[in-house]
Amino acid sequence: MKNLRAWFIATRPWSFVMTASSITAATVYTYYLTGILNLPFFIATLLGVTLLHASANVLNDYYDTKRGVDIPGAPTTQYRPHPLITGLTTPEKLRNFALTLLAAGLFFAFILAIYRTLIVILLALSGVFFVIGYSGLLGLKYKALGELSVFLSWGPLMWLGTYYVQTGLLDLQPVLASIPIGLLVAAVLTANNLRDIEFDKSRGATTLEVLLGREKGLRFFAYFEVYLAYMVLVVLTALRLVPLTALLPILTLPSAFRLVKMFQKEIPATADPMTAKLVQDFAIWYILGLALGLVIRF
């Protein structure tokens, strides 16, 4: 049991709340737009995407260690047990574990494709592109493209995929409605990279924050991710793409202000989980607001 728990922790399960938030919000939004809600499809989508997320996390540890970024004493090893640095397993076994998770995630996509079309597979493979390309074959995170990858994955791709699985249709509206969540999830990566700027620079990892520097990176975090998420939400409401009740996440704006102000003074070791907490709270209010929109029509 202890070994199983260690393998489970290697997937970084605390990060799955972001996937659950995105898929759930997309499902509620789909129901708001179309009145369609298929619970088995929702569960299958959530399980499949979560497995792909877990695979991405494990592959990230594998490739970061292989590239010499993750070493004993690296920031990532100070707040969680790294599966390779702690000696839990070998690189080959960790890679195989990641590929098993990847195959399991794709299995759900194939099942859903039976009820829909091969478009489900194409959307899933788009997710796999980012799973493997993030730190693996393409090394997107090392080419200052990490935030873009995360935004596209947790925003447009997850929402469009969820909408298609539920309805069998493709639509621009869920893509637009996904932007606030996508931006905030990307902000979690930015917070992590801001904290690790000097270490990443010393290991040759060219993140966006390494290119921008601390001050410009902080401004990018504050204005182009966190605050922009709230601005986009207001625009979506004004355009009637989401109900007026979807403005409920604005209740989290004071927390966003405090987070940005704190980071401007010092980037704490817990920068990314603190930002993830904001994502979680924003998403809960977003889901509630979308659900209320089903009852209260303005």
Side-chain angles (χ1 to χ4, degrees):
M1 289 298 294
K2 185 178 180 181
N3 201 40
L4 286 174
R5 182 175 181 273
W7 280 100
F8 179 62
I9 290 175
T11 66
R12 304 184 217 174
W14 53 86
S15 67
F16 298 160
V17 66
M18 292 183 289
T19 294
S21 296
S22 187
I23 297 297
T24 303
T27 301
V28 175
Y29 183 64
T30 300
Y31 186 49
Y32 168 77
L33 285 181
T34 66
I36 296 172
L37 176 61
N38 187 311
L39 286 177
F41 283 7
F42 163 69
I43 294 170
T45 303
L46 181 58
L47 289 174
V49 176
T50 300
L51 285 165
L52 291 179
H53 184 182
S55 174
N57 287 343
V58 176
L59 280 174
N60 185 54
D61 281 342
Y62 170 76
Y63 282 112
D64 276 0
T65 304
K66 187 176 181 180
R67 290 173 181 263
V69 176
D70 284 358
I71 58 174
T76 190
T77 67
Q78 296 175 18
Y79 70 89
R80 67 180 179 92
H82 192 291
L84 294 178
I85 303 301
T86 59
L88 170 67
T89 186
T90 64
E92 292 74 18
K93 289 181 179 178
L94 189 68
R95 179 199 59 204
N96 292 341
F97 178 51
L99 294 177
T100 300
L101 291 170
L102 185 66
L106 285 175
F107 170 77
F108 283 97
F110 279 103
I111 294 298
L112 289 169
I114 294 173
Y115 293 95
R116 292 302 181 201
T117 69
L118 288 178
I119 290 178
V120 175
I121 304 297
L122 294 177
L123 290 169
L125 289 177
S126 298
V128 171
F129 170 81
F130 288 114
V131 166
I132 297 178
Y134 178 71
S135 57
L137 301 178
L138 299 177
L140 297 174
K141 68 175 288 187
Y142 308 112
K143 299 175 182 177
L145 294 173
E147 279 78 6
L148 178 61
S149 301
V150 168
F151 166 75
L152 291 174
S153 297
W154 271 265
L157 191 55
M158 283 192 190
W159 281 58
L160 182 61
T162 298
Y163 183 88
Y164 182 76
V165 166
Q166 288 289 323
T167 66
L169 302 170
L170 295 174
D171 198 303
L172 181 62
Q173 290 187 80
V175 172
L176 296 175
S178 76
I179 293 174
I181 296 291
L183 288 172
L184 288 176
V185 176
V188 176
L189 177 62
T190 301
N192 176 86
N193 291 345
L194 282 170
R195 181 197 62 205
D196 298 346
I197 281 182
E198 294 306 320
F199 179 81
D200 287 341
K201 191 183 301 183
S202 71
R203 305 307 298 174
T206 309
T207 63
L208 178 63
E209 292 66 34
V210 167
L211 291 180
L212 293 176
R214 186 180 185 278
E215 295 307 315
K216 290 182 179 178
L218 276 169
R219 287 198 290 272
F220 177 81
F221 171 81
Y223 297 106
F224 290 95
E225 291 178 325
V226 176
Y227 296 153
L228 183 58
Y230 292 90
M231 293 172 62
V232 170
L233 182 62
V234 172
V235 172
L236 290 171
T237 307
L239 294 175
R240 296 183 176 274
L241 292 173
V242 298
L244 187 62
T245 50
L247 286 174
L248 281 176
I250 288 180
L251 292 172
T252 65
L253 193 53
S255 297
F257 282 133
R258 286 194 297 270
L259 189 70
V260 169
K261 188 174 181 180
M262 178 189 299
F263 284 11
Q264 288 172 340
K265 292 180 179 179
E266 182 182 3
I267 309 295
T270 55
D272 41 339
M274 290 175 69
T275 309
K277 176 65 165 54
L278 177 64
V279 179
Q280 172 189 288
D281 294 345
F282 184 102
I284 289 172
W285 285 112
Y286 199 19
I287 292 167
L288 180 58
L290 292 171
L292 284 174
L294 293 166
V295 180
I296 307 171
R297 296 280 180 173
F298 292 94

